[in-house]
Amino acid sequence: MIELRVNGGVHRVDPAVGRSLAETLREDLGLTGTKVACGEGHCGACTVQLDGVPVLSCITLVHTVRAREVTTIEGLRDHPLVESFVRADALQCGFCTPGQIVSAAALVEANPEPSRDEIRHAMAGNLCRCGAYPKIEEAVLTWRG
Amino acid sequence: MARLIRTEKEVEGRYTEQWIVVEEDALERWPEGPLAVVGREAPRTDGLARARGEAVYTADISFPGLLHTAVLRSPHARARVKRLELGAALEAPGVRGAVQPGDVECLTREPGYPGAPVAAIAADSAGLARAALERIEVEWEVLNPLLDPDEAVRRGELTTERRPYARGDLEHGLAEADIVVEAEYRTQTVLHNSMETHQAVCRWQGDTLEVYTSTQFIWGVRNAVAEQLGLPPDRVRVVCEYMGGGFGAKNDPGDYTFLAAELARRTGRPVRCALTRREENLDSGNRNATIQRLRAGARADGTLTALGGEFVASIGASGWLASTAGPMQMLYACENVETLEYGAKLNTAPMAAFRAPGFVEGTFGLECLLDELAAKLDLDPLELRRINYAHADLLDDRAFSSKNLAECYRRAEPHWARREEVRARSAGPWRHGVGLASQIWYGGGGPPSYAWIRVGSDGRATVVTAMQDIGTGSRTAMAQIAAEELGLPLDRVDVVLGDSARGPYASISAGSSTIPSMGPAVRSAAADAGRQILEIAAQRYHLEERVLSLRDGRIVSTDGGSWPLEEVTGLLEEGQILGKGARGPNPAGMRVLTFGVQVAEVAVDVETGEVRVDRIAAIHDVGRVINPLGASSQVEGGIIQGLGHTLSEERLLDPATGGVLTQTLDAYRVPTIADVPEIVTELLDLPDAHLTNLGAKGLGEPPIIPTAAAIANAIRDATGADVRSLPITREEMLRALRQAADRAAARESVGASSA
């Protein structure tokens, strides 16, 4: 049994050795807002924050999380970035979007007024096959409304 | 009265004729330009659900007792299974069932490409299923694969009959020409890589099979699954409310659906079959590679006298032959055109439609050839295209329902005029240049397509139809169309879609057809409901129907009377007003096409071969635009996929074995946010006067079509080098630069010796 701190709550789970954080969140805790698109750390769809730092939950073993606070899209549903993504039309199919927003939230927390280059640098690990990138850049630039 | 008529239907350039029943449809055309809701920017109505991670995709569907599937796939491009023993695998922990060749049609003992499914196991978790795969005993006889498309053509290994086309006399046209250019172009195999992989969850509920799947065609999956399983179609319910991208690869049910259905039947449990990313890049379709050997002839004044091409498409083990020759046959007024297309059958994964299949590849060849011709003629490339403008369809002399390509060219002028300024930025090893390319494609949609609408006593409307929103924003567009017709604000219209059990037939979301197919049906349903509302209002307020209309959520009369809609609908209490609508026929004897032009600005480092795209201006004519915000997103998305196609994406094969080397997203390089240039989008927004009650065409595919050629032509403008092979990697760029330098040196030495 381990204790997992997620979005301000504490969950007791008993995952098998080798289980990923993404599997635990999605399958054991029902937090399916976190998407898995490649399952091997190449696309960013599964991004969550550990103590505010974006990590790829599909290649993070759940047993390594320990006391760190996990923030998923479910914990960021009222973040102004959610509104700004919708307003700017920064999503098409939306499958990568929770990961995009989790990455962007960490960025604006550390740097509330990122430049276009800083956004491109910080978000380059979040792939979007629909190509919503110009609007994602716009949404992050205008996240405060 | 219902009329039975015969009409033409087109998807991805493939035409069929069919009977449809049309109700009288005397809707007035809406005026051009932005209306109250249609033509205005609207954030997508399901944006919040998607952004907050609340939207439930197929990947998120779960049921108690759900089993997971792992598929044994051929590691060989061509092989025979000599022995297959499932026994040990069935004994493995958590395994509940397995299927092998003979159990499901897609499983084979003679795999013809790497990744072909041979057997499958259902277990309590995906990990246990994968672990059990290791315990399947299989003995292969490995055979030599056929991987070279030219060799396949020589041997007559084709997926379909070779496809010739001719008008006029090509040789005569070449003889008449003052200048002839000839070149071979190659395009690579490209992988779709939708973020949500192909997958299905199948669950038997009594004698009904429920299929939850990531699909572009709910109704098509329903029919195909029913046919293969021998079920009445209404015993198959297909659900896809949110869908994580398809780009053409999710038009059909796919092997995964049939595997899940059979394993669900055998185990009595719900079963998921989801491709991993690696499987996705092995066996979920691809944009097939092409070889294009092209010729063009023109008089000194630029008039095209001849266009000819031999096209070899690397279809794979199976698949269909998309029209790579289409742009050459259709784009320019040229009397003498001959094309010949071959579909090479190879031991590689089958192709699938990928965003304007054929035309993306064919436009790269044709539009680069045109620029090579322009250079020899010393003509402005835009001028060359204007000289050869086609005023009627060239395949069978039909009139166009609308064609505003000339206006697109005119709107491209300010972007084209930046040439001098852009070239002047060249400094050090960086050379700058500008190029353009035209776009032609289908996108008219067609019948049958149906929608229902209900208006409740609260004055809210709900559109019900079994269509799907694959991420294109079609749900929002349908809400806008219904809101416009009913005079309601957008937030009083809901759209229920994504379920074959709760809506009428809706067409495929492919071939840029959702808006032009479904939009008119939705408008017609809303108009039907609107008429009923006005009939009731006329009786309630003792007025004639003709003085009443619906506007701003109210019923208004020409004499100044105005009542909230709910006042009339509220009379019905629990009653509802039900409207139904159908897509009318396409205009008889006319060709419905979309057009456009893109202008690209690039910089090339001639020392390292690095190519950087700085700016792309996209001007397209797709008829009436329903949602300019969503439309600009779709244009950007198409261009960005085109950018990947042009510069970085390629499925690489091991030349000895045919094995796929690029199965992961670090090896297969799709564009990232850091690769995106400035994109300027201009849509003409001119309703097609002959097409449906909307005048709207599709936009999904047009923006990806001219991007590669515009970039390659900009590279020629910047460097003088002819890039003829995609992707334009540094190696390809340096090869083209060397070739251009050698050519210049040869010219100089000829010049020196003749002096």
Side-chain angles (χ1 to χ4, degrees), chain A residues 26 32-33 35 37 40 42 73 77 82 86 89 91-95 101 120 127 129-131 133-135, chain B residues 44 50 52-54 57 59-60 191-193 195 243 277-278 471 632-633 637 641 649 664 666 671 674 676:
Chain A
R26 287 177 51 81
T32 56
K35 305 301 180 199
E40 44 192 325
H42 297 144
I73 187 65
R77 281 185 174 162
V82 169
V86 176
D89 206 37
L91 65 147
Q92 291 182 36
C93 83
F95 203 78
I101 290 176
R120 285 168 168 239
L127 300 181
R129 189 52 160 162
C130 300
Y133 297 132
K135 303 266 165 72
Chain B
R44 53 196 74 209
R50 293 184 197 248
R52 288 163 58 101
E54 292 167 343
Y57 295 79
D60 305 322
L191 301 168
H192 298 69
N193 271 308
M195 294 308 282
M243 197 269 201
R277 178 60 48 189
R278 290 177 188 229
S632 69
S633 299
Q641 271 184 358
E649 295 181 33
T664 55
D666 58 338
V676 176

Side-chain angles (χ1 to χ4, degrees), chain B residues 110 120 193-194 228 268 341-342 415 449 478 527 541 597 628 696:
Chain B
E110 296 195 5
N193 271 308
S194 313
Q228 186 155 341
E341 293 174 272
Y342 297 97
H415 306 290
S449 300
M478 296 308 141
Y541 302 120
V597 58

Side-chain angles (χ1 to χ4, degrees), chain B residues 20-37:
Chain B
I20 59 161
V21 173
V22 192
E23 309 268 342
E24 293 304 323
D25 185 3
L27 294 181
E28 264 180 47
R29 296 191 156 272
W30 284 332
E32 264 179 51
L35 310 171
V37 184

Side-chain angles (χ1 to χ4, degrees), chain B residues 289-369:
Chain B
T290 69
I291 302 167
Q292 309 172 33
R293 300 182 176 98
L294 310 184
R295 286 189 287 175
R299 292 204 192 89
D301 66 1
T303 311
L304 284 171
T305 58
L307 287 171
E310 185 191 272
F311 302 82
V312 178
S314 300
I315 304 291
S318 63
W320 52 284
L321 181 57
S323 178
T324 314
M328 178 171 272
Q329 296 161 1
M330 295 162 67
L331 189 48
Y332 295 111
C334 176
E335 285 174 12
N336 306 302
V337 179
E338 281 183 29
T339 62
L340 181 56
E341 293 174 272
Y342 297 97
K345 187 174 179 184
L346 303 170
N347 294 114
T348 58
M351 59 73 76
F354 190 157
R355 214 168 185 166
F359 275 51
V360 164
E361 302 85 316
T363 299
F364 171 67
L366 175 69
E367 286 294 82
C368 288
L369 186 74

Side-chain angles (χ1 to χ4, degrees), chain A residues 1-82:
Chain A
M1 239 3 165
I2 57 170
E3 283 196 351
L4 208 56
R5 291 147 47 100
V6 183
N7 300 328
V10 178
H11 302 268
R12 291 176 63 79
V13 288
D14 189 15
V17 171
R19 196 159 175 80
S20 72
L21 176 58
E23 288 170 316
T24 305
L25 291 169
R26 287 177 51 81
E27 293 167 26
D28 303 336
L29 303 182
L31 298 172
T32 56
T34 299
K35 305 301 180 199
V36 175
C38 76
E40 44 192 325
H42 297 144
C43 77
C46 67
T47 305
V48 301
Q49 296 173 7
L50 288 188
D51 284 346
V53 179
V55 300
L56 300 166
S57 66
C58 76
I59 52 166
T60 301
L61 294 174
V62 65
H63 287 91
T64 66
V65 173
R66 299 183 182 275
R68 286 178 288 178
E69 172 72 21
V70 183
T71 306
T72 70
I73 187 65
E74 286 86 355
L76 294 167
R77 281 185 174 162
D78 298 320
H79 195 287
L81 271 164
V82 169

